[in-house]
């Protein structure tokens, strides 16, 4: 059992094992005054450290008390007001007076229940927006640490894919879905050709206030990973990653032509009908097209042959009269 000279040490030892909204807001001296007259009914002796253990069980290890204290930023003052309203009247009433442990049990449990009911009505915060970034605006009060907990997300966001055409203008925005402080600094870094989140592979490109990274005319040298890191003061808030893929114009042109050709063919190699044209069932079959082409070629050869023989006959008819004139002269 702790003597009066050791009360402060007892309180520190008992409450350092686990914290709660009680220790966050109730002064140690008030706890000493509250527990001064705690009597163990079984032995009829005053026992202060037993009162501290009772406070620890009813408040510190009470999940209901801890959960009720998870309020939004700025509402910890209301938590203290609620707890003071329950505890301080007891401190005044019990100070320098003896009371049985059963009385303490009942009164402290009622105080804890009243705190849970009142604190649970205070605004909750569900402002944590996944998947990344230090988000102070989404913090909730933690009665175990007596501090506000930030959203427990990593600083590094997943890599986002960006595909652009060569020689096109490219804009990359460093945007996050949560609120940012007013005093921010933005640092852009670049890792050429690779898709990575390894910090040591990046080289700084720009630093300042601009959250827009613009490339007037994108070429193959711009392909790689862009990192945007936002600071507030000396503290990093978030790191975003963008992997930029640049498609050469020649390759893109060939790809588009191939896609157009593929789309223009029906199964079996038939051409699609022109817009507004006859349905595909009225188009000639491949065999009919082959026969037509063969007939045209045969007609072409026959025409060329006829022209050739006609030319030979014409030359012969002009040569015969000349021979007759020669014979007449000899005669």
């Amino acid at each position: 059992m702790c003597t009066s000279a050791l009360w402060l040490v007892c309180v520190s030892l008992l409450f350092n094992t686990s914290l709660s909204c009680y220790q966050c807001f109730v002064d140690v001296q008030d706890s000493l005054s509250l527990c001064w007259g705690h009597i163990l009914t079984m032995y009829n002796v005053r026992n202060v450290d037993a009162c501290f253990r009772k406070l620890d069980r009813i408040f510190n290890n009470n999940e209901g008390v801890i959960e009720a204290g998870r309020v939004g930023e700025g509402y910890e003052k209301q938590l203290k007001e609620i707890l003071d309203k329950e505890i301080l009247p007891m401190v005044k009433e019990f100070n320098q007076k003896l009371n049985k442990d059963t009385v303490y049990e009942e009164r402290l449990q009622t105080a804890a229940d009243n705190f849970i009911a009142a604190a649970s009505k205070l605004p909750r915060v569900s402002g944590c927006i996944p998947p990344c970034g230090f988000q102070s605006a989404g913090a909730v009060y933690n009665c175990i640490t007596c501090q506000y907990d930030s959203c427990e997300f990593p600083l590094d966001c997943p890599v986002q894919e960006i595909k652009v055409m060569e020689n096109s203008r490219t804009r990359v925005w460093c945007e996050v879905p949560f609120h940012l402080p007013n005093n921010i600094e933005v640092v852009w870094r670049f890792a050429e050709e690779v898709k990575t989140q390894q910090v040591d592979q990046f080289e700084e490109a720009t630093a300042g206030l601009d959250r827009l990274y613009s490339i007037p005319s994108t070429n193959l040298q711009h392909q790689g990973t862009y990192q945007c890191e936002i600071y507030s003061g000396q503290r990093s808030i978030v790191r975003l990653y963008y992997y930029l893929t640049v498609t050469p114009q020649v390759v893109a042109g060939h790809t588009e032509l191939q896609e157009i050709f593929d789309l223009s063919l029906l199964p079996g190699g038939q051409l699609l009908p022109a817009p507004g044209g006859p349905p595909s069932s009225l188009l000639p079959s491949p065999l009919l097209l082959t026969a037509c082409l063969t007939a045209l070629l045969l007609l072409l050869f026959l025409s060329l042959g006829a022209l050739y023989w006609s030319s030979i006959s014409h030359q012969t008819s002009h040569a015969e009269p000349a021979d007759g004139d020669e014979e007449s002269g000899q005669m």
Side-chain angles (χ1 to χ4, degrees), residues 11-12 14-28 31 56 59-60 83 143-144 146:
V11 171
S12 300
L14 287 170
F15 283 161
N16 281 340
T17 57
S18 59
L19 306 180
S20 76
C21 288
Y22 182 92
Q23 185 182 354
C24 293
F25 302 121
V26 177
D27 187 74
V28 174
S31 296
D56 189 54
F59 286 95
N60 295 352
L83 198 57
C143 280
I144 298 177
C146 302

Side-chain angles (χ1 to χ4, degrees), residues 83-132:
L83 198 57
D84 285 346
K85 183 179 178 180
E86 298 297 327
I87 298 298
L88 295 184
M90 292 177 58
V91 172
K92 185 176 180 180
E93 178 183 348
F94 286 11
N95 187 27
Q96 301 298 317
K97 295 180 181 178
L98 300 177
N99 289 283
K100 293 183 178 181
D101 52 5
T102 54
V103 175
Y104 274 90
E105 180 76 23
E106 180 181 354
R107 297 287 296 276
L108 290 175
Q109 188 60 58
T110 300
D113 294 340
N114 291 341
F115 173 83
I116 293 173
S120 298
K121 297 178 181 178
L122 294 176
R124 309 283 118 176
V125 173
S126 57
C128 293
I129 303 175
C132 55

Side-chain angles (χ1 to χ4, degrees), residues 210-279:
D210 199 350
R211 284 190 279 171
L212 170 64
Y213 192 87
S214 180
I215 305 174
S217 181
T218 310
N219 56 53
L220 296 179
Q221 294 180 348
H222 294 119
Q223 183 164 289
T225 305
Y226 292 81
Q227 180 203 75
C228 165
E229 186 166 8
I230 301 178
Y231 294 88
S232 178
Q234 300 298 319
R235 184 173 191 173
S236 177
I237 296 178
V238 65
R239 286 192 291 259
L240 296 97
Y241 297 86
Y242 305 91
Y243 180 63
L244 184 67
T245 302
V246 181
T247 303
Q249 283 189 335
V250 175
V251 175
H254 288 173
T255 302
E256 291 177 0
L257 289 175
Q258 183 64 44
E259 290 177 353
I260 294 173
F261 180 76
D262 293 341
L263 291 173
S264 67
L265 293 177
L266 290 171
Q270 300 180 27
L271 291 173
L272 284 171

